[in-house]
Amino acid sequence: MARKQQGLAVVTGASSGIGYELARVCAQEGFELLVVADEPQIEAAADSIRSGCDVPVQALQADLATEAGVERVVEAIGGRPVAALLANAGRGLGDAFLDQTWHEIRRVVDTNVTGTLYLIHRVAQDMRARGSGRILITGSIAGFIPGAYHAVYNASKAFLDSFSFALRAELKESGVTVTCLMPGATETDFFERADMADTRLGQAGKDDAAGVARTGFDAMMAGDGDVVSGWMNKLRAAIANVTPAAVLARMHAGQARPQSGRK
Ligand SMILES: NC(=O)c1ccc[n+]([C@@H]2O[C@H](COP(=O)([O-])OP(=O)(O)OC[C@H]3O[C@@H](n4cnc5c(N)ncnc54)[C@H](OP(=O)(O)O)[C@@H]3O)[C@@H](O)[C@H]2O)c1
C-alpha cells in the first residue's frame, strides 16, 4: 500500500537485481515509476512491481549505453518533474583485460560511465532549475580497489564513486541531493552475466539485493552523500583505504581470476 505521493522516480537497470529492488522500494514508498532496462524482461519486472503496489509503473526498454537510448528515457519522462533519479544500470566483465574483446570492454564503459553521465546530465538540469530532486548513483566498493581480472569494471565504479561526490558538492546549495550507493558483492545475475561464475568472487557468499536496495533508498531519502551497504563491506572499504593499490590489485587477482583455466 502506497504511503504518500512522492512524485516520479526513474530507475534504470530495474529488470533484475538491485535495480528491481530499488524500484520496488520506491513503489512501496509512494513514488510513481518509470523503470528502464535494455531487454524485454523489463515488462515482466514492471508487472511484478505493479502487482504489489497502487502507483503507476511505466516500463521502457532502452539501451542506456547509447545516447539514443538515453534520449528515449527523456522522451518517456515527457517533461514531468523527476523527484528521484536512480542511475543504477551497469554491467561487469570478467577475465584479463587483453583477453576481453574491445566490443565488450566498450559496452561496460558506455553503460556504466557514458550512459550514466549522459542520463544525469539530461535529467538533473531540470532538477536544478526547480530547486529539488534526489539522485542515487549505484557505485561500488569495487571503486576503491584496482580490479585485476575485472579491471575495466572496477575502474568504471571508481569513476562513478568520484563523480558522485563531485556532483554533490557542485549541487550543494541547489536543493538537489546526490547519493552514492556502494554495495559489495550482492546476490544478483551480475556475476553470471559478467562471466565470473568460475571465480572465487563469483562463488563467495553475497548480500541480499533487497537489503542493499533498502539501504540505498534510505540514504537517498536522507540526502546522505554515500552509503556502503553492510558492516563487512564497511570494513573492506576501510581496509582498502589504507592498503597500497599494488597490494589490492594482487589480492583482487586472486579473487577474480577464472578458476577453469580458460584463456
Ligand atoms: N551484484 C553486485 O555484486 C554489485 C556490487 C556492487 C555494485 N553493483 C552494481 O549494481 C548495479 C545493478 O547490478 P546488479 O547486481 O543488480 O546486476 P543485474 O541483476 O545484472 O542488473 C543489471 C541491470 O542493469 C541493466 N542494464 C545493463 N546494461 C544496460 C544497458 N546498456 N541499458 C539498459 N539497462 C542495462 C540490466 O538490464 P538488461 O538485462 O535489460 O540489460 C539489469 O536491469 C550495477 O550498476 C552494478 O555495477 C553490483
Side-chain angles (χ1 to χ4, degrees), residues 15-16 18 38-39 63-64 88 91 153 157 186 188 193:
S15 60
S16 63
I18 297 168
D38 189 25
E39 303 288 336
D63 182 358
L64 298 174
N88 165 81
R91 60 179 63 241
Y153 173 79
K157 291 294 164 174
T186 306
T188 69
R193 285 181 176 177

Side-chain angles (χ1 to χ4, degrees), residues 101-154:
T101 68
W102 177 244
H103 173 75
E104 291 170 321
I105 292 165
R106 185 69 202 266
R107 191 143 179 84
V108 172
V109 176
D110 287 348
T111 304
N112 298 7
V113 178
T114 314
T116 301
L117 292 189
Y118 188 46
L119 180 63
I120 293 171
H121 196 256
R122 293 292 274 112
V123 172
Q125 307 259 0
D126 181 56
M127 287 181 172
R128 183 178 62 176
R130 279 188 288 118
S132 78
R134 302 175 191 281
I135 299 171
L136 181 73
I137 298 173
T138 305
S140 174
I141 64 165
F144 303 141
I145 303 166
Y149 293 93
H150 205 193
V152 177
Y153 173 79
N154 281 37

